[in-house]
Amino acid sequence: MPKLIVDGIEVEVENGATLLQACEEAGAEIPRFCYHERLSIAGNCRMCLVEVEKSPKPVASCAMPAADGMVVHTKTEQVKRAREGVMEFLLINHPLDCPICDQGGECDLQDQSMAYGVDGSRFHENKRAVEEKYMGPLVKTVMTRCIHCTRCIRFSQEVAGVPELGAIGRGEDMEITTYLEHALTSELSANVVDLCPVGALTFRPFAYTARPWELKKTESIDVMDAVGSNIRVDARGAEVMRILPRLNDEVNEEWISDKTRFVWDGLKTQRLDTPYVRENGKLRPASWDEAFAAIAAKLNGAKPESVAAIAGDLACAESMKALKDLFAALGSPNIDCRQDGAKLDASHRASYIFNATIAGIEDADAILLIGTNPRIEAPIVNARILKRTRMGGVKVGVVGPRADLSYDYDYLGAGPQSLKDLGGFADVLKNAQRPLIVVGQGALARADGAAVLAEAIALAKSVGAVSGEWNGFSVLHTAAARVGGLDLGFVPGAGGRDVAGILDGASKGEISFVYLLGADEIDMAKLGSAFVVYQGTHGDAGAHRADVILPGAAYTEKPATWVNTEGRVQLGRRAVFPPGQAREDWAILRALSAVIGKTLPYDNLEALRAAMAAAAPHFAEVDVAVPAGALPDLPKGELDAAPFESAVKDFYMSNPVARASAVMAECAAGRVAASRIQAAE
């Protein structure tokens, strides 16, 4: 490893490290605009110039490999003049609109011009102007501000895998634009705004709504999919104003999907903020006491086998634990968190989590996707797979829906029968040191889901995907609540009914009481004449069918626990308080339990979390992907010939919060229009 001296400090860096990285290792601050540690090196802004002894001129540190014996200076007069000159060139055409720029206060150019610039300019020519570009409903452009760092271009190609941005023209006439000025179609497109070091790209839905210094910042967890992306929720008063990514190399690196970022306007529309009770066929506002009394009246004398509970995709672990304990006290085994009907075995944790971990995708040398389209089910996971393919030395195979995944793959078949004959790809898996087999909900949420799961596990074992150091069998979930519910055992007890059984029983009159904990993705028509309690946040399908509505808190409005698809326990934090009379979900269930005479044994969040850790010890290990142990040998069954389908039909409309969002509705409409244009072409 090379050793070099930076400002009199000797440092040792890894082979292949750049001078910029070596300087930062020595504690020197190096300004930059084009360089980003997760993108390829462009070396075109020249702001990172440093002085290297024996070099005839300043060196761009981002593009120069560190070599043994180099002597580098970052604070000399020559470096100072070089950086001032570069800054003067960058500001030749940059408009002086900081007071109205949405990037003001968070702008790299603004900060670095103060630190490394001069107080005036020697250029008096008129500034150039560039026409704005249309990049869709999420990204607003003011391209006159663009300094041609090309971060956005490199991101769209290298991370999103959708090369829709590029440069036209040369010199002063160079412009960044989309292909024929179409909207960006990547599910990760808005990350280009985070990357933009100036105000050329900003958030269209956030435009002119708040300044960064007005906002209270809260670190939390995303629930729009099962990845558990780390986010920062920025709020002003009682309103969420925007959502940004947080750095976590193990989960989402520093990217988030567009749905995660822009769903916040759905948090304040169609909200349930007071209890409702249905009288004479119509819902009317009620007090908490009235709502609880109506529920107690229906439960009083009801047979345990006639009551049931279903947990939805956004339910937190605390609420599912409280609801499970409440129904255990009632003596009912009819509970299920698998709203989509996925055939997952809660008794074997290794059979339902992403054992390889998200970061472990980068270690795989062969990848098989079964019944999943990760681009719309988990864009962050898809970006990791693309990252791995760009490293080389890996092949990807797909059994299931044929889709544009943003990388090349071998298509092996549409349905489960293809798992028995993978052709030449079977040898690819067997010859790999760390094969990765990813099973999606499209393969499990079907009548033969249990048989598909058993077949996939058998395949993983036969090709060597499971060894002492590597477990490549991984289940990719689409619901944030799913793994937590399975960990807590929110599944039917002995003789209990699953979701399909509950709906069938309700339609036949055998189930008379159904408790929906944010469950909106089921067929409400099958609930028949059952008395339905809906506890949730939005006036979605469940609320329309309910006889009693209990308003709960959204994921940004409560401290709560979620377990992501790799089994990592993560804590969300309250950014704002819930509206009106809405309350935290576990607290609602604790209050209800006292009214019906089945008081739950915890009075605060700490006691509830202690009970969760007692039921599943890994709940005490936050931010750690706890290994699940050995894969079970599941009994094989008969496989259906029907092809796999993706579990997510519309990326932008997958849950109640997204369906309440005007921004998501605009994105969904734009996606439909783009599909029609492509079909016509």
Side-chain angles (χ1 to χ4, degrees):
M1 298 197 303
K3 293 182 180 179
L4 59 161
I5 297 174
V6 179
D7 293 337
I9 301 172
E10 185 178 75
V11 293
E12 186 175 10
V13 295
E14 295 182 359
N15 292 323
T18 65
L19 270 186
L20 189 150
Q21 293 169 317
C23 291
E24 291 191 333
E25 188 73 23
E29 181 179 335
I30 306 296
R32 83 291 299 268
F33 291 115
C34 68
Y35 175 80
H36 192 278
E37 52 270 17
R38 300 192 194 279
L39 304 176
S40 61
I41 295 171
N44 55 10
C45 79
R46 319 310 283 182
M47 194 65 202
C48 63
L49 294 173
V50 296
E51 183 180 346
V52 179
E53 289 189 3
K54 299 182 180 179
S55 174
K57 60 182 180 179
V59 170
S61 59
C62 71
M64 175 66 71
D68 197 55
M70 275 186 170
V71 180
V72 183
H73 303 284
T74 69
K75 301 175 183 177
T76 63
E77 185 62 27
Q78 183 189 38
V79 171
K80 179 176 180 293
R81 287 199 310 270
R83 291 174 179 171
E84 288 175 352
V86 169
M87 182 61 68
E88 196 173 0
F89 275 116
L90 288 174
L91 294 177
I92 291 174
N93 288 306
H94 197 78
L96 303 177
D97 57 355
C98 292
I100 63 163
C101 177
D102 260 5
Q103 201 87 323
E106 296 177 316
C107 175
D108 290 348
L109 183 64
Q110 191 179 52
D111 295 340
Q112 293 185 39
S113 64
M114 293 295 293
Y116 303 102
V118 292
D119 60 356
S121 174
R122 289 170 287 177
F123 295 92
H124 302 288
E125 290 79 10
N126 292 330
K127 293 181 180 289
R128 71 167 188 165
V130 181
E131 286 187 10
E132 308 311 343
K133 313 299 180 187
Y134 178 71
M135 295 190 182
L138 305 180
V139 180
K140 179 177 180 288
T141 67
V142 185
M143 300 310 293
T144 301
R145 300 171 184 158
C146 179
I147 61 171
H148 305 154
C149 70
T150 69
R151 281 185 180 181
C152 55
I153 297 174
R154 285 174 283 149
F155 171 85
S156 66
Q157 294 176 338
E158 299 165 13
V159 179
V162 184
E164 296 174 327
L165 284 171
I168 59 173
R170 298 184 65 183
E172 191 178 32
D173 296 323
M174 178 178 170
E175 297 181 19
I176 307 295
T177 184
T178 58
Y179 175 67
L180 297 181
E181 298 200 18
H182 285 179
L184 299 175
T185 61
S186 169
E187 293 76 14
L188 299 168
S189 65
N191 287 285
V192 298
V193 178
D194 290 334
L195 291 170
C196 184
V198 295
L201 304 176
T202 56
F203 301 123
R204 189 179 293 276
F206 180 68
Y208 307 119
T209 58
R211 285 297 196 179
W213 53 84
E214 299 177 293
L215 305 176
K216 182 184 73 174
K217 302 165 179 61
T218 306
E219 295 184 349
S220 193
I221 300 299
D222 170 58
V223 299
M224 291 299 106
D225 55 29
V227 173
S229 296
N230 287 222
I231 58 174
R232 192 188 85 192
V233 181
D234 288 0
R236 183 175 61 191
E239 185 178 354
V240 174
M241 303 300 294
R242 67 176 178 180
I243 294 174
L244 299 175
R246 268 194 303 133
L247 178 65
N248 188 327
D249 286 332
E250 299 299 314
V251 183
N252 59 303
E253 298 184 301
E254 58 189 83
W255 322 120
I256 55 174
S257 74
D258 292 344
K259 181 166 59 176
T260 296
R261 188 186 297 271
F262 291 112
V263 79
W264 49 264
D265 69 314
L267 293 168
K268 56 187 177 183
T269 55
Q270 300 184 28
R271 285 302 300 270
L272 301 173
D273 58 2
T274 189
Y276 286 86
V277 174
R278 190 177 296 276
E279 288 184 357
N280 301 321
K282 294 185 178 181
L283 289 169
R284 67 165 180 84
S287 66
W288 281 104
D289 290 340
E290 288 178 297
F292 287 161
I295 297 171
K298 288 294 179 180
L299 286 174
N300 186 25
K303 296 179 180 179
E305 62 270 17
S306 68
V307 299
I310 302 173
D313 293 348
L314 305 185
C316 62
E318 287 84 355
S319 61
M320 288 187 286
K321 172 63 174 171
L323 186 58
K324 181 195 175 192
D325 289 350
L326 178 59
F327 269 69
L330 292 171
S332 172
N334 304 321
I335 61 173
D336 202 352
C337 66
R338 300 163 299 184
Q339 187 178 213
D340 58 0
K343 305 301 188 292
L344 293 164
D345 188 349
S347 60
H348 300 290
R349 193 167 190 257
S351 70
Y352 65 78
I353 68 170
F354 204 98
N355 292 285
T357 73
I358 295 172
I361 292 172
E362 297 180 24
D363 297 325
D365 49 2
I367 302 173
L368 176 63
L369 304 178
I370 303 173
T372 180
N373 177 353
R375 179 170 170 180
I376 60 174
E377 295 175 20
I380 297 299
V381 171
N382 199 62
R384 284 273 191 173
I385 298 175
L386 172 62
K387 181 179 180 181
R388 177 64 189 90
T389 61
R390 287 179 57 82
M391 295 177 186
V394 65
K395 272 196 158 188
V396 180
V398 170
V399 175
R402 192 192 294 268
D404 179 8
L405 299 180
S406 72
Y407 44 81
D408 294 331
Y409 59 83
D410 295 339
Y411 189 70
L412 307 174
Q417 300 297 334
S418 301
L419 295 177
K420 295 185 175 181
D421 182 15
L422 295 175
F425 202 82
D427 294 329
V428 172
L429 292 172
K430 289 178 181 178
N431 295 331
Q433 296 297 314
R434 293 194 167 191
L436 172 61
I437 296 177
V438 180
V439 183
Q441 299 308 295
L444 303 175
R446 37 189 277 156
D448 65 341
V452 174
L453 179 63
E455 192 71 34
I457 290 176
L459 174 64
K461 291 181 176 180
S462 67
V463 300
V466 182
S467 63
E469 298 180 353
W470 174 255
N471 186 344
F473 179 80
S474 301
V475 175
L476 181 60
H477 290 273
T478 57
R482 192 61 42 77
V483 176
L486 293 170
D487 285 348
L488 292 169
F490 200 97
V491 292
R497 298 173 182 258
D498 60 9
V499 166
I502 292 170
L503 296 178
D504 182 62
S507 64
K508 294 177 179 178
E510 298 168 356
I511 298 290
S512 60
F513 180 98
V514 180
Y515 200 109
L516 302 179
L517 181 62
D520 294 278
E521 317 303 327
I522 60 175
D523 187 353
M524 299 296 168
K526 292 184 178 181
L527 291 173
S529 60
F531 185 86
V532 177
V533 177
Y534 178 78
Q535 179 179 332
T537 60
H538 286 73
D540 208 79
H544 283 90
R545 172 59 184 83
D547 296 288
V548 173
I549 296 175
L550 305 178
Y555 69 104
T556 57
E557 300 163 358
K558 60 184 177 182
T561 304
W562 281 275
V563 188
N564 76 347
T565 191
E566 56 184 354
R568 185 185 303 270
V569 176
Q570 300 188 109
L571 298 181
R573 295 173 178 83
R574 179 193 291 122
V576 295
F577 285 91
Q581 298 183 55
R583 296 293 182 266
E584 292 179 31
D585 294 287
W586 78 267
I588 294 172
L589 291 160
R590 169 63 179 79
L592 175 61
S593 70
V595 172
I596 63 178
K598 304 291 184 182
T599 306
L600 294 174
Y602 25 78
D603 297 324
N604 54 56
L605 191 59
E606 290 72 22
L608 173 53
R609 286 179 172 170
M612 290 163 50
H618 62 270
F619 273 96
E621 301 188 48
V622 179
D623 294 330
V624 177
V626 180
L631 277 174
D633 291 316
L634 299 180
K636 290 190 176 183
E638 186 175 347
L639 297 173
D640 194 344
F644 294 134
E645 296 182 2
S646 174
V648 176
K649 305 303 180 187
D650 188 338
F651 172 73
Y652 297 106
M653 296 278 136
S654 59
N655 60 63
V657 184
R659 287 191 287 269
S661 167
V663 177
M664 293 297 100
E666 188 176 357
C667 290
R671 178 62 60 88
V672 171
S675 299
R676 288 174 179 168
I677 291 173
Q678 290 177 357
E681 291 174 347

